[in-house]
């Protein structure tokens, strides 16, 4: 029993930050967002947008690895978008392609996480642009409830 616990702790560390980042302290966890903000943990709270400690969700090792594998690729593309002139446009193409591998994987991970706790996938758009008002997958108008930080498509589990 003790050993299992030890292994699980180590596994959570993959998603934990060494430096202190803003963590979710909401009384009740409502929904989650899968969004990489260039920190260790891409699982955020829908309500406050801060990171949710993976231990709170009791994620299995396989699911943590799935999250990490998606995040590695996403982080690489996102870094190219932010830091490179040469690859910026190429990175934007990949990040905004609904059929692109990084988004196919991200949506799949959000779906897997949703089996434990409902999770939306944050959709990339360029910061200097206005946020799209339609879902990039089904083209329906996104809905934003008053007071919420994100607009969402319930059907596709996408927020932006
Ligand atoms: Zn929160
Ligand atoms: Zn949709």
């Amino acid at each position: 029993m003790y050993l299992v616990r030890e292994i699980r702790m180590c596994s959570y560390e993959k998603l934990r930050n060494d430096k202190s980042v803003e963590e979710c302290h909401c009384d009740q966890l409502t929904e989650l967002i899968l969004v990489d903000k260039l920190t260790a943990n891409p699982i955020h709270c829908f309500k406050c947008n801060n990171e949710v400690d993976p231990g709170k969700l009791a994620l299995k090792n396989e699911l943590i690895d799935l999250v990490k594998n998606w995040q590695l690729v996403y982080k690489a593309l996102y870094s190219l978008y932010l830091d490179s002139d040469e690859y910026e446009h190429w990175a934007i193409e990949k990040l905004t392609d609904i059929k692109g591998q990084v988004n196919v994987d991200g949506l799949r991970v959000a779906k897997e996480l949703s089996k434990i706790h409902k999770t939306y996938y944050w959709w990339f758009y360029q910061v200097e642009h206005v946020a799209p008002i339609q879902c990039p997958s089904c083209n329906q108008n996104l809905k934003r409830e008053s007071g919420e930080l994100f607009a969402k498509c319930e059907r596709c589990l996408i927020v932006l």
Side-chain angles (χ1 to χ4, degrees):
M1 196 61 196
Y2 192 70
L3 190 65
V4 169
R5 205 187 170 131
E6 283 262 306
I7 292 167
R8 193 158 266 191
M9 288 299 283
C10 295
S11 201
Y12 291 149
E13 293 310 319
K14 291 186 199 170
L15 293 177
R16 283 185 175 135
N17 294 287
D18 359 343
K19 53 183 179 1
S20 66
V21 288
E22 292 256 39
E23 250 189 44
C24 164
H25 295 293
C26 292
D27 290 341
Q28 235 188 348
L29 206 51
T30 52
E31 291 143 329
L32 305 172
I33 307 179
L34 184 67
V35 53
D36 183 67
K37 295 190 171 178
L38 302 177
T39 63
N41 181 4
I43 302 170
H44 289 240
C45 168
F46 179 83
K47 217 192 309 177
C48 71
N49 196 18
N50 291 327
E51 296 186 5
V52 176
D53 190 274
K56 271 191 195 168
L57 304 167
L59 302 181
K60 290 208 175 94
N61 289 349
E62 304 85 71
L63 191 46
I64 290 174
D65 287 340
L66 221 63
V67 170
K68 279 319 265 188
N69 290 342
W70 162 80
Q71 192 191 20
L72 273 177
V73 178
Y74 194 97
K75 218 182 260 303
L77 287 171
Y78 199 70
S79 301
L80 287 176
Y81 158 67
L82 289 178
D83 299 332
S84 101
D85 286 335
E86 192 177 345
Y87 300 113
E88 184 187 334
H89 291 288
W90 180 80
I92 291 169
E93 247 174 58
K94 302 294 162 199
L95 288 167
T96 53
D97 181 2
I98 190 75
K99 293 199 175 80
Q101 191 67 54
V102 75
N103 290 323
V104 170
D105 288 349
L107 285 162
R108 193 165 62 97
V109 173
K111 229 177 229 170
E112 285 300 317
L113 284 167
S114 290
K115 291 177 186 168
I116 293 158
H117 209 100
K118 189 167 187 182
T119 306
Y120 296 98
Y121 180 62
W122 185 81
W123 188 256
F124 170 87
Y125 64 94
Q126 289 171 258
V127 278
E128 60 271 31
H129 289 188
V130 186
I133 55 162
Q134 289 173 331
C135 173
S137 181
C138 70
N139 295 320
Q140 299 283 321
N141 281 347
L142 296 162
K143 288 205 179 85
R144 187 199 296 259
E145 308 290 334
S146 72
E148 287 186 350
L149 296 170
F150 303 94
K152 60 187 171 186
C153 175
E154 282 294 342
R155 180 154 44 142
C156 307
L157 292 177
I158 286 173
V159 294
L160 50 74

